[in-house]
Amino acid sequence: MATDLGPDPDVAPPAGVHSIWRIRGYLRPHLLSVVTMLVTSLAVVGTSIAIPLVTKAVIDGPIADGELAPVLPLGLLALAFGLVEAVLIWLRRWVQSTAVLAMENTMRHDLYRHLQALPMSFHSRWPAGQLLSRAIQDLSSIRRFLGFGLIFLVVNVVQVITVCAVLLAMYWPLGLVVAATAVPIIWLCARFEKRYVVMSRRVQDKQGDLATLSEEGAIGIRVIKAFGRSEHVAAQYETGARELHELSMDKVRLSSRFWTFLEVIPNLAVCVVLLLGAIGVGQGALTPGELVAFLTLLLSLVWPVSALGVILAMAQEAMSAAARILEVLDTEPAIVGGTVTIPEPRGHLRFEHVDFAFPDAPDELVLRDIVLDLRPGETVALVGATGSGKTALTSLVPRLQDVTGGRVTLDGVDVRDLDLHHLRSLVATAFEEPTLFSMSARENLTLGRSPAVDPASDAEVEEALDVAQAGFVRDLPWGLDTRIGEQGMALSGGQRQRLALARAVLARPQVLVLDDTLSALDVHTEKLVEDALRSVLSATTGLVVAHRASTVLLADRVALLQDGTITHVGDHSELLATVPAYRELLSADAELREAVSA
Amino acid sequence: MTTTQERPLDKSWRGVGKNDADEIHTADRVTFTGGSRQLLDEILRPYKRAIWLLVGVVVVENVARLAIPYLVSVGIDSGIPPIRERDDLGPLLTVVALVLGATVVQALTRQLFLLRSGRIGQDLLYQLRRRVFRHFQRLSPAFHDDYTSGRVISRQTSDIDAIYEMLETGFDGLVTAFLTLVGTAVILMFLDVKLGLVALVSGPFLFWVTAWFRRSSAKAYRVSREKVALLIVHFVETMGGIRAVQAFRREPRDLEIFDELNDDNRKANLVAFRLVAWFMPGIKLIGNVTIAVTLVYGAYLAHDGEITVGVLAAFLLYLRRFFEPMMEISQFLNTFQSASAALDKLADVLREEPTVPEPTVPVPLGAGGGTLTFDHVRFGYLDDRDVLPGLDLTVPAGQTVALVGTTGAGKTTLAKLCTRFYDPTGGRILLDGVDLRDLTSDDLRSSVVMVTQENYLFTGSVADNIRFGRPGASQADVEAAARALGAHDLIMALPQGYDTQVANRGGRLSAGQRQLIAFARAFLADPAVLILDEATSSLDVPSERLVQRALRTVLAGRTAVIIAHRLSTVEIADRVLVMAHGEIVEDGTPDELVGSGQGHFSDLHQAWLESLA
Ligand SMILES: Nc1ncnc2c1ncn2[C@@H]1O[C@H](COP(=O)(O)OP(=O)(O)O)[C@@H](O)[C@H]1O
Ligand SMILES: Nc1ncnc2c1ncn2[C@@H]1O[C@H](COP(=O)(O)OP(=O)(O)O)[C@@H](O)[C@H]1O
Ligand SMILES: [Mg+2]
């Protein structure tokens, strides 16, 4: 698959330690916190070793000697250690809460920001569910590991090593026995890691798929209801959920075996040490107090070793989660802006031998050798059959897609050399499917205007509403402050289209692109909109996709798009008279007129 | 909690909506509804036996686990003297063999427990997922209008995750920890009653701290669930509308909004995390103080010869073991609190009943051929505003009706009432003489199908999407439906023909192609009543004409309601209804209405004629 396409949502690249390593940058601002967390955690281990040592001191000292005086000070010492331990735990958790949440926040911010910059070709392939599962589930896996797992991985390893060292120092022959158990443990861990990372990746991907199915079930609910297909989609979802169940069970099976082994090994060591130690005591090689302390410490290893299993599982999950996120972050935005800005834009738009193919079907040219010149202030209507490439053509202007051959220029500058932000401020599009966000009507209307740099005045908003015949907005329950979009007031198709049109007009572009924007309007409203649009279009360059003769009449010239190339350019009546294909596309209305009036 | 460097929270972009009051209500609600407890009970019920069995396994495991330190102390106390005195390894070897046995038993039971509990957890999740998904599917469009897709998704992702987290970390830890706790407490009392009582004084303190944590964290987690839902809602919406975001340079503003939500979410989590930061060391401190006190007291007792050194050593060992699981229980309590906030949210949803319920005593649908009758139908979305004040209308079987009228007249509303997206607030809608409310949804859906303006396509191939109309349909049927609409050639021109993947929400296709496929999907469903709600608006004229032509044959013998703003669509209608403010103001054949020379339709016709000039 072509490299500029970026990763495929269905193909998982391998994950490993390097994926976690690569996101270490996010830890850097919190280095102090991480160090604090590490130090306090280690200190906690210290105190937890210290308390049994005090116990040993009490048993071997005062009790053996029958001397009670040192008991109280030693008891106070144990109390002090206990207090310190609690304070350290508090400190670690307090620091951790701030640091890891801030880190998660930053990562999510970066992910979102990056997703915003990725082009349409990326978004049309990646369902929102897959992206969402990365932004929520994977990030919390990573947060859990970096904030908790990583610390305890280090702590547990250090604890195990320290205890081993203490044991060696206490009585080296037995210490050696304990140290030897590291061999099977390390071997087990290595084996486990390899298999677990693959499994957790599968589970995460499946979770993403399931999120996508939830998304479709939610967004498509009205279609599902209209066809009574709830059972069908529920069955699909259940298949997915069952697969996830299976994959998760694989994980459960593997980890149950691994975790059990991790617990058995230290217990076996206890057996051996008890046997040899008791013999040692019997022969006077070590004191009973020493053996008690030795065994106490050894037993204190059971937990850190078996916890290693959980921590390692957490680590694998974080690794594959990081890999999944990096997959997105590594996708270079295929469309990045240049540096040129046009000081005095006039809106001279030219298509110079433009070829275009969608990135996911690179061999199939949707547009071929498009030559079209829109002089400043001129309006050109684009006429073509369904699927002939009209929308594709319009999307090349604001660089929602990039040409694959030739170039599009604005005032003589290749759009690819223009600053992207600048370019998109010069071009405004009213899409055929109007997208409204769950925000106030005003916010939706002023989408193309930055509130900080050039806010839209109320008069401008009113004017745009008039042009688009969107006065109904004023009658909404809270006027322009009414929330619309999915979470707000439901609007009809025609109402949405008019808002989208008003939005494009309000952006005060040099080039106004209308992609079949009037399709859902009734004839009466359409006529009013067209009359108002005429004055707007006289001042800007216009590219108007049209299916109806009435819309075509807005334009100075008409371009006929057939099979991805422009075959005729001319005046409406001229084309109507001379080009049969054009007549076929646009004159049906006339035919109908006879049918109706007959 | 606000610090100075924070931006003022400007939420004016969100605008005002009718559910704002509810939103605040749900976020700040702290009272425990009991919904989560009940739901938990319900989903656990089928596993009651399995869970008790597991508890048995865990008891055995813990007996084995706890036996090990005990056996060790026995080994020290009674294994060493025989070696010292008469070089007799026998007692020691017996003890070591017992330790070995305990290890093996522990390993076997542990593995069994992990496997079984893992399976139960996964089963539970599966059942819960399934149930929630189905429930959302069952709920009426009116619910979805208000609840919105982002929340539906967030319930099924982040809330389920919270429960998953509890099952993954908690299930394992809790039972073990709890039993260790009880087991160790018993052993402690058994080892020495006096020392044991001293140790158990910590109980009330533990209880008090835990109660405090439960109360405060319940609230914190509930807030955090709502915050993450808002984050998800925004995420899904902006990713879905990324084209508009990019084209209108909306990125900086959106990022700002996202950051705000992201930060709200962080703060909500921070509150919860900080509660844990107090709770955990609190528990630890209680444990440590108890150990120190016991140590001193025990030393006195040992000195007085009331207990042996072995007993004291064992006691202290067990005491540590007593407090260790406390940490685990606290950890579990924490994930449990988070999960129960999620369960609460899910329980709220599961408690919702469809506003258009299935009939308790369904009436079978006769073979009437699809007569639609509106009998004094009244309906409004908001209580105080009727969209349809009282509609009387009969569409005889087989008639094709065109419904026109200005935007907002209530045409779509009428269509949605026919498909029972909503129930009328007054009056009845009858299909072949049967009230829609008495029909099973299967009967209704197979008789009445609507093609909406939305024409949403699902991930999958073109054929899959057409087949959505009738899942069992053969490839030939699918192609026939497409052919009837003149969409066949268009589909064949796609790279993989019918197998072309339509990609995310049909993004691989042009808007017109999407409409044609949505149309084919409805044709394949072959309903008695077909409702088309501005379903051809994105088609070019020849395609539309093909569709019209197809409609003429397809609609023969079928009842059809065609909502259109283009008079070209009206051509095939037997009858035209003009709607204004929820009422039928004109009713007649197209010719009659045009011929009358006055009225809305005649005006429309006139305007349309002019538009053609
Ligand atoms: N993301 C995409 N990837 C591949 N092909 C696409 C994509 N979007 C549209 N197409 C194809 O490109 C052609 C032109 O589409 P479009 O420009 O939307 O047509 P229209 O002229 O109706 O606006 C269609 O055949 C469509 O199937
Ligand atoms: N889900 C909804 N909630 C509240 N009001 C709605 C909803 N859907 C539509 N409306 C309102 O009901 C009225 C009729 O809408 P609709 O039936 O869509 O009109 P039409 O299809 O004729 O354009 C409009 O005023 C519209 O704003
Ligand atoms: Mg198009």
Side-chain angles (χ1 to χ4, degrees):
Chain A
M1 192 160 276
T3 42
D4 61 341
L5 257 184
D8 191 301
D10 302 326
V11 179
V17 181
H18 61 92
S19 59
I20 277 287
W21 180 242
R22 280 191 47 203
I23 57 169
R24 69 190 182 282
Y26 287 99
L27 277 178
R28 203 163 296 138
H30 306 289
L31 219 54
L32 189 67
S33 303
V34 173
V35 171
T36 313
M37 276 148 66
L38 257 179
V39 170
T40 48
S41 306
L42 288 173
V44 166
V45 177
T47 53
S48 67
I49 294 177
I51 296 174
L53 290 180
V54 174
T55 312
K56 173 188 166 243
V58 171
I59 293 175
D60 277 356
I63 295 177
D65 309 342
E67 180 69 50
L68 270 183
V71 167
L72 209 57
L74 281 172
L76 286 176
L77 189 63
L79 191 65
F81 276 129
L83 198 69
V84 168
E85 187 181 15
V87 170
L88 288 171
I89 292 178
W90 174 84
L91 186 62
R92 178 177 68 72
R93 287 203 168 255
W94 194 263
V95 168
Q96 176 199 356
S97 67
T98 318
V100 297
L101 287 172
M103 196 171 62
E104 185 187 7
N105 218 28
T106 316
M107 280 199 213
R108 194 174 285 131
H109 168 94
D110 286 358
L111 184 65
Y112 187 80
R113 195 196 171 92
H114 192 77
L115 284 172
Q116 282 188 325
L118 287 173
M120 285 310 300
S121 55
F122 174 90
H123 286 281
S124 69
R125 284 183 314 125
W126 284 69
Q130 278 289 359
L131 299 177
L132 182 70
S133 77
R134 283 165 169 79
I136 305 288
Q137 286 159 326
D138 290 348
L139 278 183
S140 49
S141 295
I142 293 176
R143 188 237 300 146
R144 269 199 298 275
F145 176 66
L146 292 186
F148 189 81
L150 183 61
I151 303 292
F152 279 91
L153 187 61
V154 176
V155 168
N156 282 20
V157 168
V158 170
Q159 187 178 359
V160 169
I161 291 173
T162 317
V163 171
C164 284
V166 172
L167 292 180
L168 276 169
M170 219 179 232
Y171 185 61
W172 68 265
L174 287 183
L176 269 186
V177 171
V178 175
T181 55
V183 177
I185 290 177
I186 290 170
W187 177 76
L188 260 177
C189 289
R191 268 190 52 142
F192 171 73
E193 130 138 36
K194 236 182 253 133
R195 298 178 52 191
Y196 199 80
V197 77
V198 177
M199 287 182 185
S200 64
R201 171 74 203 213
R202 280 195 204 127
V203 167
Q204 283 159 347
D205 285 346
K206 193 42 90 185
Q207 275 173 342
D209 288 348
L210 223 50
T212 305
L213 288 173
S214 307
E215 184 204 345
E216 293 203 321
I219 297 174
I221 185 79
R222 286 161 196 86
V223 173
I224 297 169
K225 289 266 176 200
F227 284 89
R229 290 283 168 269
S230 296
E231 189 49 49
H232 177 69
V233 285
Q236 252 178 9
Y237 182 81
E238 275 168 28
T239 311
R242 230 183 343 261
E243 280 164 13
L244 178 61
H245 179 274
E246 283 310 308
L247 292 173
S248 305
M249 277 313 294
D250 287 346
K251 251 171 71 171
V252 166
R253 273 187 282 270
L254 179 65
S255 48
S256 73
R257 238 174 307 147
F258 176 60
W259 293 352
T260 304
F261 273 117
L262 279 187
E263 212 155 325
V264 166
I265 293 171
N267 276 337
L268 288 178
V270 169
C271 283
V272 176
V273 168
L274 176 62
L275 182 66
L276 300 181
I279 295 172
V281 172
Q283 293 166 350
L286 75 171
T287 66
E290 269 172 341
L291 183 59
V292 170
F294 198 101
L295 280 165
T296 312
L297 280 175
L298 183 53
L299 284 168
S300 79
L301 272 187
V302 174
W303 185 78
V305 171
S306 61
L308 223 50
V310 180
I311 295 170
L312 280 177
M314 215 187 256
Q316 316 301 322
E317 244 142 63
M319 278 178 214
S320 50
R324 274 162 52 90
I325 288 169
L326 285 170
E327 233 167 77
V328 173
L329 290 180
D330 283 347
T331 311
E332 290 291 331
I335 294 179
V336 283
T339 50
V340 182
T341 55
I342 305 170
E344 273 173 41
R346 294 173 304 130
H348 187 186
L349 180 67
R350 279 173 65 93
F351 292 83
E352 299 175 4
H353 303 285
V354 166
D355 288 340
F356 173 71
F358 281 97
D360 44 353
D363 307 327
E364 202 193 321
L365 282 185
V366 173
L367 299 174
R368 271 176 292 117
D369 197 32
I370 300 282
V371 179
L372 191 62
D373 187 357
L374 287 85
R375 289 184 294 276
E378 191 187 27
T379 300
V380 171
L382 195 59
V383 174
T386 296
S388 60
K390 303 182 295 296
T391 301
L393 184 77
T394 60
S395 68
L396 297 177
V397 186
R399 290 190 71 202
L400 292 171
Q401 306 278 4
D402 262 347
V403 299
T404 40
R407 56 182 207 149
V408 178
T409 63
L410 192 59
D411 291 339
V413 186
D414 190 328
V415 289
R416 285 169 295 185
D417 296 333
L418 284 171
D419 176 72
L420 199 57
H421 196 81
H422 180 65
L423 168 68
R424 288 176 180 168
S425 72
L426 298 177
V427 182
T429 311
F431 298 106
E432 52 190 343
E433 268 156 46
T435 312
L436 298 183
F437 297 99
S438 300
M439 301 182 287
S440 68
R442 187 191 310 278
E443 188 83 15
N444 266 296
L445 282 166
T446 55
L447 210 59
R449 301 285 284 270
S450 123
V453 187
D454 80 311
S457 71
D458 285 349
E460 282 178 300
V461 172
E462 294 297 320
E463 197 191 322
L465 288 180
D466 287 340
V467 169
Q469 295 298 310
F472 64 89
V473 177
R474 300 187 194 109
D475 303 330
L476 293 174
W478 294 273
L480 277 160
D481 291 322
T482 310
R483 188 180 318 139
I484 53 175
E486 207 213 332
Q487 298 169 62
M489 285 292 291
L491 299 175
S492 75
Q495 288 175 324
R496 285 197 307 247
Q497 273 199 339
R498 278 179 278 167
L499 277 185
L501 178 60
R503 170 197 285 171
V505 169
L506 195 55
R508 288 187 315 187
Q510 250 58 47
V511 178
L512 182 61
V513 180
L514 305 180
D515 187 0
D516 201 14
T517 316
L518 309 179
S519 64
L521 303 189
D522 56 70
V523 191
H524 189 63
T525 318
E526 183 182 337
K527 190 162 163 26
L528 292 174
V529 173
E530 278 162 5
D531 290 344
L533 263 181
R534 227 164 242 127
S535 67
V536 174
L537 284 172
S538 68
T540 59
T541 308
L543 182 58
V544 180
V545 173
H547 281 150
R548 322 277 158 188
S550 53
T551 323
V552 170
L553 291 176
L554 279 174
D556 305 314
R557 283 189 298 153
V558 187
L560 177 62
L561 192 61
Q562 280 179 297
D563 287 330
T565 193
I566 291 183
T567 50
H568 297 86
V569 181
D571 178 46
H572 172 60
S573 46
E574 179 191 324
L575 291 185
L576 211 51
T578 57
V579 184
Y582 185 76
R583 204 175 313 132
E584 162 80 0
L585 270 174
L586 279 190
S587 70
D589 288 353
E591 199 176 291
L592 279 177
R593 175 175 46 180
E594 287 148 30
V596 174
S597 50
Chain B
M1 288 289 292
T2 39
T3 53
T4 42
Q5 74 263 26
E6 265 164 31
R7 275 172 289 110
L9 289 183
D10 174 19
K11 302 258 187 199
S12 66
W13 58 269
R14 255 182 87 64
V16 193
K18 67 180 160 104
N19 292 317
D20 285 2
D22 295 354
E23 221 167 79
I24 294 160
H25 172 72
T26 41
D28 286 357
R29 193 189 58 203
V30 288
T31 47
F32 189 61
T33 57
S36 61
R37 179 88 44 92
Q38 206 183 337
L39 179 58
L40 197 61
D41 269 359
E42 245 173 83
I43 55 178
L44 285 178
R45 196 166 305 137
Y47 302 99
K48 272 239 161 79
R49 266 194 47 195
I51 290 174
W52 280 116
L53 220 90
L54 269 189
V55 171
V57 171
V58 176
V59 170
V60 176
E61 189 211 328
N62 278 280
V63 167
R65 179 201 304 274
L66 291 170
I68 293 173
Y70 177 72
L71 289 173
V72 167
S73 80
V74 170
I76 292 171
D77 276 357
S78 59
I80 296 174
I83 304 175
R84 270 198 177 147
E85 286 150 21
R86 46 190 145 74
D87 244 357
D88 179 7
L89 273 175
L92 182 66
L93 283 178
T94 319
V95 172
V96 170
L98 284 175
V99 173
L100 206 61
T103 303
V104 171
V105 170
Q106 194 206 333
L108 290 177
T109 46
R110 173 136 188 88
Q111 158 112 34
L112 188 66
F113 173 79
L114 285 175
L115 257 178
R116 287 271 136 213
S117 69
R119 170 167 294 279
I120 290 179
Q122 290 302 326
D123 285 355
L124 273 180
L125 274 181
Y126 171 70
Q127 296 296 351
L128 194 60
R129 280 205 174 95
R130 193 181 120 110
R131 187 160 157 197
V132 170
F133 187 90
R134 280 187 180 272
H135 194 78
F136 274 127
Q137 288 298 320
R138 202 165 72 90
L139 288 173
S140 315
F143 171 87
H144 286 273
D145 287 348
D146 286 349
Y147 204 73
T148 74
S149 57
R151 277 210 185 73
V152 173
I153 298 166
S154 113
R155 290 290 91 88
Q156 293 180 66
T157 52
S158 84
D159 285 351
I160 295 272
D161 283 347
I163 295 162
Y164 169 71
E165 215 174 293
M166 171 182 83
L167 291 173
E168 178 155 80
T169 60
F171 220 56
D172 173 27
L174 181 73
V175 187
T176 312
F178 189 72
L179 284 168
T180 314
L181 201 69
V182 173
T184 349
V186 170
I187 294 177
L188 286 176
M189 294 307 275
F190 167 75
L191 275 174
D192 189 78
V193 179
K194 269 193 203 155
L195 275 179
L197 286 177
V198 169
L200 292 188
V201 168
S202 60
F205 293 99
L206 291 173
F207 184 80
W208 179 76
V209 172
T210 307
W212 164 80
F213 176 72
R214 283 197 54 156
R215 226 175 320 113
S216 36
S217 69
K219 180 180 172 180
Y221 279 120
R222 222 152 279 159
V223 175
S224 118
R225 294 256 60 87
E226 190 57 27
K227 295 294 179 206
V228 76
L230 289 178
L231 187 74
I232 289 175
V233 167
H234 178 82
F235 186 94
V236 171
E237 190 170 294
T238 47
M239 289 306 142
I242 191 75
R243 178 194 287 269
V245 169
Q246 292 186 347
F248 286 95
R249 295 156 291 123
R250 175 79 187 169
E251 296 96 333
R253 185 94 172 97
D254 255 344
L255 191 62
E256 211 174 288
I257 293 171
F258 182 79
D259 282 347
E260 197 175 297
L261 296 171
N262 200 9
D263 209 48
D264 282 353
N265 181 45
R266 183 186 63 83
K267 280 187 208 137
N269 279 327
L270 192 62
V271 172
F273 276 41
R274 295 221 152 143
L275 287 173
V276 183
W278 282 111
F279 176 55
M280 299 292 252
I283 296 286
K284 192 79 193 176
L285 184 63
I286 294 173
N288 284 345
V289 170
T290 312
I291 288 179
V293 169
T294 317
L295 176 65
V296 174
Y297 183 55
Y300 279 94
L301 289 183
H303 178 257
D304 295 346
E306 287 192 32
I307 51 173
T308 64
V309 176
V311 167
L312 180 59
F315 195 92
L316 290 171
L317 256 176
Y318 278 115
L319 200 54
R320 281 187 72 78
R321 287 220 159 183
F322 180 76
F323 287 109
E324 247 165 40
M326 282 312 300
M327 296 310 267
E328 227 160 296
I329 290 179
S330 317
Q331 191 66 55
F332 175 79
L333 193 64
N334 186 29
T335 51
F336 177 78
Q337 291 293 76
S338 156
S340 81
L343 274 168
D344 246 4
K345 290 271 170 208
L346 292 178
D348 285 349
V349 168
L350 291 173
R351 246 201 310 258
E352 289 284 336
E353 280 300 320
T355 47
V356 287
E358 283 281 291
T360 37
V361 189
V363 176
L365 193 58
T371 305
L372 262 181
T373 314
F374 287 74
D375 178 14
H376 296 298
V377 171
R378 235 190 61 196
F379 179 76
Y381 295 96
L382 305 170
D383 292 339
D384 53 345
R385 246 208 278 179
D386 273 350
V387 175
L388 303 179
L391 188 75
D392 279 305
L393 174 69
T394 303
V395 181
Q399 193 174 61
T400 302
V401 176
L403 191 58
V404 298
T406 47
T407 308
K411 305 181 295 291
T412 300
T413 306
L414 189 142
K416 286 180 174 169
L417 287 173
C418 294
T419 47
R420 217 176 160 223
F421 273 24
Y422 307 92
D423 272 341
T425 41
R428 310 179 296 161
I429 302 171
L430 310 169
L431 177 62
D432 291 335
V434 183
D435 194 321
L436 293 189
R437 283 172 288 209
D438 293 333
L439 288 173
T440 63
S441 91
D442 282 347
D443 272 354
L444 177 65
R445 303 296 174 207
S446 59
S447 324
V448 182
V449 161
M450 169 163 73
V451 183
T452 59
Q453 300 168 0
E454 297 170 44
N455 62 61
Y456 183 84
L457 297 190
F458 298 87
T459 307
S461 67
V462 170
D464 289 342
N465 269 289
I466 297 178
R467 201 172 279 124
F468 191 83
R470 180 150 53 88
S474 68
Q475 183 68 22
D477 292 342
V478 168
E479 283 180 28
R483 230 181 228 119
L485 286 171
H488 179 73
D489 294 339
L490 213 146
I491 294 169
M492 289 313 286
L494 295 171
Q496 282 97 38
Y498 282 87
D499 294 329
T500 309
Q501 296 293 313
V502 301
N504 213 1
R505 299 185 194 180
R508 169 72 182 74
L509 304 170
S510 82
Q513 291 168 338
R514 270 199 295 277
Q515 279 197 338
L516 279 174
I517 289 168
F519 235 116
R521 165 165 87 181
F523 275 24
L524 190 61
D526 191 27
V529 180
L530 185 62
I531 299 170
L532 306 176
D533 188 359
E534 303 189 10
T536 51
S537 58
S538 291
L539 295 182
D540 60 52
V541 176
S543 308
E544 192 178 5
R545 194 167 25 190
L546 273 176
V547 171
Q548 302 288 348
R549 209 161 279 159
L551 276 175
R552 222 178 310 209
T553 40
V554 171
L555 294 184
R558 245 180 261 272
T559 312
V561 178
I562 304 177
I563 299 174
H565 51 270
R566 305 224 151 256
L567 296 203
S568 46
T569 324
V570 172
E571 176 203 15
I572 56 162
D574 305 321
R575 177 181 176 192
V576 175
L577 297 171
V578 180
M579 213 173 175
H581 308 296
E583 297 185 54
I584 307 287
V585 291
E586 287 166 44
D587 181 353
T589 64
D591 293 349
E592 274 170 27
L593 292 184
V594 173
S596 72
Q598 55 189 20
H600 186 83
F601 187 73
S602 174
D603 287 352
L604 267 179
H605 185 75
Q606 202 54 43
W608 176 63
L609 287 186
E610 280 163 22
S611 78
L612 297 176

